[in-house]
Structures are given as C-alpha cells and as structure tokens.
Amino acid sequence: DLYCKMLNEAVQEAKGIEVQEDFETTIDLQINAYIPEKYIPNEYQKLDIYKRIAAIESRDEAEDMRGELMDRFGQIPKSVENLLRVSLIRMYAHDLYITEIRGKKDGITFLMDPGAKIRVENIEVVLANYGGKLTFAVKGTPTFFYRLSPTGVVQKDEEQMLSAAEDVIRQMRARLLV
C-alpha cells in the first residue's frame, strides 16, 4: 500500500499536479468505545472488526458494519455503538483538516492543520451558533474548543460528549468545507 501510494504521488508530481500531504486524524475522547470480550470472545475476530471499523469511510459503511455486527453477534453494546460513532466523527473531521480531537469532561478540543483549506470567513458563523460554548484560537495550531457541562453521570457525560462532537463537526462541514 505504501509503495503504491508513493508511486502515485510521484506520478502526480511529475504531471505537475499538486500532491496534498496526507495526515492522520486521531480521536481521544474519554468515553467507553471498545468491543467487550463477552460480545466478541474470539481475539482474531475482534481484531478484524476493530480494523474494519477504523477503515470506515462513509455512513453507509458504518450502517453495513452495524448490520453485520447485529447478524453475527447480536444486540450491539453501547461501547461498540460508541466506537462506530467515533469512527464516523474521525472520518468527517478528516475532511475538515482536523488532525486531532481530544475530549474530557469539561470540553472537546479540535486541532486543525494550519494549512487547512476551509472557508475561514465562515468561522464566525459557526461560533455564533453555539452562544459562547465554542471558541476559536489561531495562536500556534488553529484550535476550536467546545465547553461541556459535566453531569457527573458517566453515561450522560459520554453521550453529551459524542453528541457535541458530532454536532460541531456537522456544523463545521456545512459552513467551512470548500
């Protein structure tokens, strides 16, 4: 895969086509997002499912995976559902040149690639939708921060964090994508 990727980039450069530097989007949210041993006891199957969830590139693929998990292993536990949601958040964030998302009880940080090709003029519009809960800092790495209000109940805090991350990414995609 790496060889093919490098060869493709070399061919594009030779043709004078600008090659975009690839980057990874990482997500570190303080939520339960894993496959429990009771759900998939076989380690090889579990690793395969983790790998396939990490490779999800569309909502349809996520729905297909959800259907397959239901068919093969039964009712999907909340932690696996969270894992599927995180995979979609990562996919959509990557389109926005977000390199990292970190979430803790008090808030979510969205770090962007400094060379992000977005509609910068619409950042204020996105911020205005959140009434001060979402802020933006340009110093160093461009960073959005969404302030959360922890409830003290783990399941509620996890759901609040996931829902907020999904909503912010959705708003950013609607307003900032070029």
Side-chain angles (χ1 to χ4, degrees):
D1 284 345
L2 179 61
Y3 173 76
C4 289
K5 181 181 168 190
M6 290 172 61
L7 184 60
N8 186 36
E9 287 176 4
V11 169
Q12 287 183 347
E13 284 178 5
K15 290 181 178 179
I17 299 171
E18 184 181 332
V19 178
Q20 250 181 349
E21 194 170 312
D22 200 19
F23 62 92
E24 283 290 316
T25 298
T26 60
I27 297 187
D28 182 16
L29 300 175
Q30 288 184 348
I31 62 167
N32 289 314
Y34 66 95
I35 301 171
E37 189 173 330
K38 288 182 180 178
Y39 188 60
I40 303 177
N42 183 298
E43 290 298 319
Y44 293 108
Q45 286 179 324
K46 190 184 299 185
L47 287 172
D48 178 58
I49 297 297
Y50 272 123
K51 184 177 172 182
R52 291 176 52 207
I53 289 173
I56 287 175
E57 293 186 357
S58 71
R59 185 166 296 282
D60 288 341
E61 285 182 22
E63 288 304 317
D64 289 346
M65 176 58 70
R66 192 174 278 112
E68 180 182 335
L69 289 170
M70 288 282 290
D71 289 346
R72 290 177 64 189
F73 306 107
Q75 185 65 37
I76 299 174
K78 186 68 175 160
S79 62
V80 177
E81 189 60 46
N82 290 348
L83 188 62
L84 289 166
R85 289 173 72 183
V86 166
S87 184
L88 284 172
I89 291 168
R90 181 179 46 246
M91 178 199 69
Y92 290 132
H94 189 81
D95 292 345
L96 288 161
Y97 297 85
I98 294 174
T99 57
E100 185 176 358
I101 299 174
R102 292 187 303 243
K104 295 184 179 180
K105 292 177 188 175
D106 63 337
I108 307 167
T109 304
F110 302 85
L111 301 168
M112 297 192 82
D113 183 302
K117 293 176 179 65
I118 60 169
R119 288 191 215 142
V120 178
E121 67 275 10
N122 287 348
I123 290 175
E124 287 296 326
V125 175
V126 173
L127 297 176
N129 287 336
Y130 292 98
K133 286 186 113 177
L134 183 66
T135 57
F136 181 67
V138 185
K139 201 174 202 177
T141 302
T143 305
F144 286 89
F145 181 76
Y146 183 86
R147 191 176 67 251
L148 294 170
S149 302
T151 65
V153 178
V154 173
Q155 291 85 1
K156 284 184 179 180
D157 288 343
E158 286 182 356
E159 181 57 36
Q160 177 180 265
M161 187 180 300
L162 278 170
S163 294
E166 289 168 335
D167 187 60
V168 169
I169 294 295
R170 189 174 22 261
Q171 289 292 326
M172 291 170 79
R173 285 177 54 82
R175 307 269 194 281
L176 302 181
L177 275 182
V178 176

